[in-house]
Amino acid sequence: MISANDLSPAELAALLHFHADAGVEWLLEEEAIDRFAEFEAMKAARRPAAQTQPSAAGERTPLGENRTPPRPATAVRPAPAERAASGPQPAIPDGEAVQQARFVAESARSLAELKTAIEAFNGCNLKHSARSTIFASGDAESGIMVIGSAPGAEDDREGVPFSGKSGQLFDKMLAAIGLTRSVILLTQVIPWRPPGNRAPSAAEMDICRPFIERQIALAQPKAILLLGNFSARFFFGENDTIHGLRGRWKEIAAADCVIPAIASLHPQDLLTAPVNKRLAWNDLLAFQAKLKSLSLLRN
């Protein structure tokens, strides 16, 4: 086993990032535990002088005569289930949570109201394990919307969509077609990071759907770029991979809005497989051409 003392600061930082990306986000117990006191109590329980216990008549009987030895006086710690129950938990079943999400979303008359409503919503389990609620950012009046899948570890830590290395690549992708974050509306399908970056469950998707659809309805974009396999499947209703869904214009509906949308690979996919950058570049050019045809982007 490698000791932490043998690692450089950079190696320690990389190790911590590795555990964070794997979903390990809490390294401490919720309540302080005195391990020294635990150890001393265990030693005291094992001392020869303490190896007797009172009998039913009040006499002390040596251990070994069908008697149970005293348990060490360790600190009382709640079981994992009890610790989980002590935190905030959704108080409504999934079906009712979907109805509540729809009511909350439809009641919002602006993106600012919707943001406040989502931050106060407690009907989705994902919120209870996430640090941040990721909401739309940028220019809602631009007519240009980019939608990612779900927050990653860096997004959750920073509270901003497309953070970290994938965010840096995303900025370069925008710049290549004459865009920046400030001139688009950037958001994600799911506002909370799934633990360990797992795929959201069907129930979680149903609960979050009213929120992203309301964002689209309030912003009323003229064109949408979907990034990632999950985002494309979510809106297109197909089970194909991103390679089968990308590069083709389709229409998606939100409330009374019907908007043209095109899907492409997520920046994280491109970091994993740089050879696919040529595919993403073709998709970006198609998106750029659509924006120009709609007079949303200067020639």
Side-chain angles (χ1 to χ4, degrees):
M1 180 180 294
I2 300 176
S3 170
N5 295 328
D6 298 329
L7 300 177
S8 68
E11 290 172 329
L12 283 171
L15 182 61
L16 289 173
H17 280 294
F18 168 79
H19 285 302
D21 290 340
V24 180
E25 298 175 347
W26 292 276
L27 301 180
L28 303 176
E29 297 285 352
E30 293 182 358
E31 298 180 4
I33 298 175
D34 190 339
R35 300 296 184 186
F36 295 101
E38 268 191 5
F39 181 67
E40 292 300 326
M42 293 174 65
K43 286 201 305 183
R46 294 193 181 107
R47 288 173 187 159
Q51 290 183 354
T52 58
Q53 62 182 12
S55 65
E59 300 175 351
R60 301 187 68 81
T61 305
L63 294 177
E65 298 181 7
N66 298 324
R67 298 290 184 181
T68 303
R71 298 179 63 183
T74 58
V76 178
R77 297 166 55 189
E82 295 173 342
R83 289 200 299 269
S86 64
Q89 295 293 319
I92 53 178
D94 292 336
E96 294 182 25
V98 172
Q99 295 180 2
Q100 182 177 334
R102 287 175 182 163
F103 175 78
V104 167
E106 292 171 2
S107 299
R109 299 304 173 192
S110 67
L111 287 172
E113 287 185 12
L114 182 59
K115 181 177 185 292
T116 300
I118 294 176
E119 290 174 340
F121 182 78
N122 290 313
C124 184
N125 284 323
L126 294 177
K127 182 178 181 180
H128 307 308
S129 60
R131 297 183 183 183
S132 305
T133 297
I134 308 299
F135 190 73
S137 61
D139 184 3
E141 304 295 327
S142 66
I144 306 170
M145 196 169 191
V146 179
I147 305 177
S149 300
E154 290 289 345
D155 302 343
D156 195 33
R157 279 191 288 270
E158 299 296 330
V160 177
F162 291 90
S163 298
K165 291 183 178 179
S166 65
Q168 294 171 10
L169 179 55
F170 173 69
D171 290 337
K172 293 179 180 178
M173 292 167 65
L174 290 179
I177 57 172
L179 297 173
T180 64
R181 291 185 187 229
S182 62
V183 299
I184 65 170
L185 186 64
L186 177 62
T187 190
Q188 293 177 327
V189 174
I190 306 295
W192 303 288
R193 180 202 178 200
N197 293 338
R198 66 166 173 79
S201 68
E204 291 163 349
M205 288 189 287
D206 289 341
I207 293 171
C208 293
R209 182 178 290 276
F211 298 138
I212 184 60
E213 290 184 346
R214 189 59 177 162
Q215 289 181 60
I216 296 172
L218 290 171
Q220 296 186 345
K222 301 296 188 297
I224 295 177
L225 174 63
L226 304 173
L227 293 178
N229 192 66
F230 175 81
S231 181
R233 287 180 173 182
F234 184 89
F235 284 104
F236 293 162
E238 300 179 30
N239 293 323
D240 203 348
T241 67
I242 188 60
H243 290 278
L245 297 173
R246 54 155 290 274
R248 292 180 289 132
W249 284 99
K250 298 185 178 184
E251 291 184 338
I252 61 176
D256 296 330
C257 303
V258 178
I259 305 109
I262 189 171
S264 187
L265 290 95
H266 193 282
Q268 187 60 48
D269 299 332
L270 302 179
L271 290 174
T272 304
V275 69
N276 290 324
K277 287 184 178 181
R278 59 183 179 83
L279 301 177
W281 175 238
N282 290 333
D283 300 336
L284 290 174
L285 290 177
F287 189 61
Q288 182 188 48
K290 173 67 77 172
L291 297 182
K292 289 180 178 179
S293 70
L294 295 171
S295 300
L296 298 175
L297 188 63
R298 294 179 180 177
N299 292 316

